[in-house]
């Protein structure tokens, strides 16, 4: 029996979060319908489909955490909650008419570059596809990280990660243990604390917490945004400038962040009267070194009579609780992990195989993630990664995504116009980019602030941030520079194209 001919599309998009949906919308708007979006889940939304824990909320203002090409005048809060963000993505999909191009329940189990055929061979949802271009939009927060604690498998109660919240588990009147105090835990702890009989929070490192400026967006403001879109666009620019004001302190001179640290210290003193608890909750590293967050309810939840903040390391999990290194046993009915995500060791990287057959996980062995402009990687022709290493600007990730999509669409347009079959960024180009980034970030607060964070690789390299302002990233991403790539043409390149490449060098 002969194998069925695989379905071919020009562009395969992996992931239906903000990155993948944005890529599909931009392709459709450019007149290109030759694409498919593969999503492993049963619904779209990415982060905002998976994270449905109590209190899930964006920590970037709504006016900025949305596509500039699909403004939403109807946000009801300055910082939108999960449900509203999910509804926004759904609306974008329907308004742009791309729903028919999305394949839900299609987990990409393998994507391998076929150098002879010059296409990507893809297995998704048990079906075979081929694609000229792959846009990898799986996102950095797609695989929950659960620590390998001795005895965890013996625990008799429910144990789950915040990204897989068990809504069928009733925590009312229960003794609940929360492991981790990152951004998600800061949001869900105040929601579950009033209902728990006892809440034990296992904290390894305290978080910088600032007062939350969230507030409702009234009908009058929404009406102005709806009738005068330029006003909302101006508000977006203003919020972006406020976010950008952090960059000099974060990247160049961390001492400039001391006023922010003073606000955080004041906020802690104001909300926590107990000196022993306040000592536990006081960060011993520079503001910004780890991700700071907003909350007006986190500290009061930790200071409540039914809450214990445990800072002694966990020794093991038992059948009915957790034992710490000092021998103390906390009896628990349920355990919730707020322990973040696997950025450098995402299992999905094992499924992407480049020109020499090596997986992305093998190329990035040891967590040393490197990509030119956070988007393209040597050995992986025609692959574009959204929110890849060193692409994050200190503002909305949607800003990064949109800049990268400019780069991707320009690459696709140039490939079609010049009859290019494949482009692959050179090793020299990547090496120069990495050297530049490392030099610029050497004295940043993330590198020198005295903490260990998921921003850094095991070797201590900052693989997360772009070393500067948004406008410099946008300028770099406006168009692709073909002189930085090894190129294979379908035919001999036209003289004009050849001349342009020589000028570009």
């Amino acid at each position: 029996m002969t194998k069925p001919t695989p379905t071919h599309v020009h562009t395969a998009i992996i992931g239906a979060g903000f990155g993948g949906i944005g890529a599909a919308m931009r392709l459709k708007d450019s007149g290109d319908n030759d694409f498919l979006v593969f999503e492993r889940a049963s619904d779209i939304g990415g982060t905002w489909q998976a994270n449905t824990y109590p209190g899930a909320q964006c920590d970037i203002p709504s006016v900025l955490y949305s596509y500039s090409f699909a403004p939403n005048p109807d946000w009801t809060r300055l910082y939108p909650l999960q449900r509203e963000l999910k509804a926004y993505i759904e609306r974008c999909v329907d308004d742009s008419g791309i729903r028919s191009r999305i394949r839900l329940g299609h987990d990409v189990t393998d994507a391998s570059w076929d150098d002879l055929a010059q296409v990507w061979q893809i297995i998704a949802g048990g079906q075979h596809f081929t694609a000229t271009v792959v846009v990898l939009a799986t996102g950095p927060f797609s695989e929950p990280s659960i620590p390998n604690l001795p005895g965890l498998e013996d625990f008799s109660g429910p144990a789950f990660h915040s990204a897989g919240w068990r809504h069928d588990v009733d925590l009312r009147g229960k003794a609940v243990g929360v492991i981790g105090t990152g951004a998600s835990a800061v949001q869900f702890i105040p929601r579950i604390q009033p209902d728990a009989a006892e809440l034990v929070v296992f904290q390894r490192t305290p978080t910088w917490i600032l007062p939350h400026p969230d507030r409702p967006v009234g009908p009058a403001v929404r009406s102005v945004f709806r009738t005068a879109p330029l006003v909302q666009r101006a508000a977006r620019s203003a919020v972006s400038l406020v976010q950008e004001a952090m960059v000099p302190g974060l990247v160049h001179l961390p001492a400039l962040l001391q006023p922010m640290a003073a606000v955080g210290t004041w906020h802690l003193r104001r909300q926590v009267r107990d000196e022993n608890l306040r000592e536990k909750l006081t960060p011993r590293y520079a503001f910004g070194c780890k991700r700071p967050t907003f909350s007006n309810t986190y500290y009061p939840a930790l200071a409540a009579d039914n809450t214990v903040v445990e800072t002694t390391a966990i020794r093991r999990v038992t059948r009915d609780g957790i034992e710490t290194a000092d021998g103390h046993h906390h009896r628990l009915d349920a355990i919730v992990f707020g322990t973040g995500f696997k950025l450098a060791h995402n299992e999905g990287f094992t499924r992407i195989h480049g020109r020499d057959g090596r997986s992305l996980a093998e190329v990035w062995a040891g967590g040393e993630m490197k990509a030119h402009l956070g988007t393209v990687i040597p050995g992986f022709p025609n692959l574009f990664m959204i929110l890849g290493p060193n692409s994050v600007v200190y503002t909305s990730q949607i800003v990064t995504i949109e800049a990268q999509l400019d780069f991707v669409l320009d690459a696709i347009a140039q490939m079609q116009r010049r009859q290019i079959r494949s482009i692959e960024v050179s090793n020299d180009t990547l090496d120069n980019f990495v050297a530049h980034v490392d030099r610029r970030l050497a004295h940043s607060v993330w590198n020198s602030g005295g903490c260990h964070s998921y921003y850094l690789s095991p070797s201590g390299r900052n693989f997360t941030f772009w070393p500067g302002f948004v406008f410099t990233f946008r300028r770099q991403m406006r168009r692709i520079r073909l002189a930085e790539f090894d190129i294979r043409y379908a035919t001999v390149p036209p003289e004009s194209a050849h001349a342009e490449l020589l000028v570009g060098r």
Side-chain angles (χ1 to χ4, degrees):
M1 295 179 63
T2 58
K3 292 183 179 180
T5 302
T7 301
H8 181 78
V9 292
H10 183 270
T11 306
I13 302 167
I14 305 176
F18 265 101
I21 295 303
M25 291 173 67
R26 287 290 306 276
L27 284 170
K28 178 73 182 296
D29 189 58
S30 71
D32 183 353
N33 289 302
D34 193 7
F35 65 87
L36 286 176
V37 181
F38 299 113
E39 170 55 52
R40 67 183 178 183
S42 60
D43 201 357
I44 65 171
T47 293
W48 303 108
Q49 179 275 137
N51 288 272
T52 62
Y53 59 82
Q57 183 177 27
C58 183
D59 57 5
I60 295 292
S62 53
V63 72
L64 200 56
Y65 201 85
S66 46
Y67 302 118
S68 64
F69 50 83
N72 176 26
D74 296 316
W75 294 115
T76 63
R77 303 200 66 81
L78 182 59
Y79 291 79
L81 297 170
Q82 176 269 339
R83 185 174 298 179
E84 196 167 7
L85 286 160
K86 176 70 163 52
Y88 169 73
I89 299 177
E90 294 277 1
R91 190 160 58 251
C92 286
V93 166
D94 291 332
D95 290 349
S96 61
I98 62 171
R99 194 172 288 275
S100 65
R101 311 306 297 169
I102 301 173
R103 299 294 180 264
L104 299 175
H106 277 59
D107 189 13
V108 175
T109 55
D110 187 79
S112 297
W113 175 253
D114 185 336
D115 206 42
L116 182 62
Q118 293 283 282
V119 295
W120 282 93
Q121 303 281 354
I122 299 170
I123 304 298
Q127 301 176 51
H128 187 189
F129 301 85
T130 60
T132 305
V133 169
V134 166
V135 178
L136 187 60
T138 51
F141 305 121
S142 58
E143 187 171 346
S145 176
I146 296 179
N148 185 22
L149 298 174
L152 180 58
E153 66 281 1
D154 298 325
F155 184 64
S156 61
F160 53 90
H161 192 278
S162 60
W165 195 270
R166 291 277 305 274
H167 292 280
D168 61 320
V169 175
D170 187 355
L171 299 177
R172 289 176 297 180
K174 303 291 178 58
V176 182
V178 173
I179 300 176
T181 53
S184 298
V186 168
Q187 292 182 345
F188 73 71
I189 283 175
R191 295 299 186 97
I192 66 174
Q193 173 269 320
D195 292 331
E198 182 182 11
L199 184 68
V200 183
V201 178
F202 296 87
Q203 172 190 276
R204 184 173 60 179
T205 308
T207 301
W208 280 104
I209 309 289
L210 298 178
H212 207 313
D214 185 35
R215 61 197 62 199
V217 178
V221 174
R222 298 201 298 271
S223 177
V224 170
F225 284 170
R226 199 176 301 111
T227 57
L230 284 176
V231 175
Q232 188 175 25
R233 194 175 305 168
R236 181 184 177 97
S237 298
V239 171
S240 182
L241 287 174
V242 171
Q243 297 284 135
E244 287 282 84
M246 298 279 289
V247 171
L250 292 166
V251 178
H252 304 295
L253 192 60
L256 294 175
L257 299 173
Q258 288 179 357
M260 303 297 289
V263 172
T265 301
W266 167 80
H267 188 49
L268 173 60
R269 285 184 169 276
R270 181 172 65 102
Q271 292 199 317
V272 178
R273 299 298 183 185
D274 183 273
E275 290 187 8
N276 291 330
L277 178 58
R278 196 162 62 219
E279 178 72 14
K280 290 181 179 180
L281 299 177
T282 300
R284 305 301 177 188
Y285 54 88
F287 180 90
C289 184
K290 281 177 174 283
R291 179 182 177 179
T293 190
F294 301 108
S295 181
N296 298 327
T297 55
Y298 177 66
Y299 285 146
L302 297 187
D305 291 339
N306 66 331
T307 302
V308 174
V309 177
E310 178 61 80
T311 57
T312 305
I314 295 173
R315 175 182 291 168
R316 65 189 180 104
V317 179
T318 67
R319 186 185 63 81
D320 61 349
I322 289 178
E323 180 183 307
T324 52
D326 58 5
H328 183 74
H329 183 266
H330 295 274
R331 195 200 66 78
L332 301 172
D333 298 310
I335 297 174
V336 183
F337 290 95
T339 44
F341 298 84
K342 297 178 182 178
L343 272 68
H345 299 284
N346 191 305
E347 192 272 337
F349 296 157
T350 66
R351 307 178 182 191
I352 312 296
H353 296 86
R355 179 171 40 78
D356 62 2
R358 290 194 301 162
S359 70
L360 198 51
E362 290 172 311
V363 172
W364 286 343
E368 298 301 321
M369 299 171 64
K370 297 175 182 178
H372 178 53
L373 298 173
T375 311
V376 286
I377 306 152
F380 294 82
N382 295 4
L383 176 76
F384 301 91
M385 187 175 188
I386 304 300
L387 296 178
N390 295 115
S391 69
V392 174
V393 292
Y394 201 77
T395 177
S396 168
Q397 291 193 353
I398 312 304
V399 174
T400 296
I401 289 169
E402 289 196 19
Q404 289 181 294
L405 293 180
D406 287 341
F407 186 89
V408 173
L409 263 71
D410 185 58
I412 290 174
Q414 294 213 42
M415 289 174 68
Q416 293 173 336
R417 179 158 53 88
R418 299 173 186 271
Q419 296 184 320
I420 294 172
R421 295 196 69 182
S422 67
I423 59 173
E424 179 186 338
V425 70
S426 70
N427 282 295
D428 286 347
T429 297
L430 176 62
D431 290 344
N432 290 336
F433 173 73
V434 169
H436 167 74
V437 167
D438 290 351
R439 185 170 58 251
R440 293 290 303 274
L441 291 177
H443 301 292
S444 70
V445 70
W446 308 298
N447 291 46
S448 62
C451 73
H452 297 283
S453 73
Y454 64 76
Y455 300 147
L456 307 182
S457 73
S459 70
R461 179 176 183 270
N462 188 329
F463 65 85
T464 306
F465 288 98
W466 171 258
F469 293 96
V470 164
F471 77 87
T472 62
F473 186 69
R474 283 177 172 154
R475 185 173 59 202
Q476 287 289 325
M477 304 304 289
R478 194 166 294 136
R479 58 179 50 88
I480 193 170
R481 297 165 182 79
L482 292 179
E484 297 175 339
F485 290 77
D486 296 325
I487 299 174
R488 291 180 68 170
Y489 290 91
T491 60
V492 177
E495 288 300 319
S496 60
H498 184 61
E500 288 180 38
L501 285 178
L502 291 177
V503 170
R505 294 180 187 275

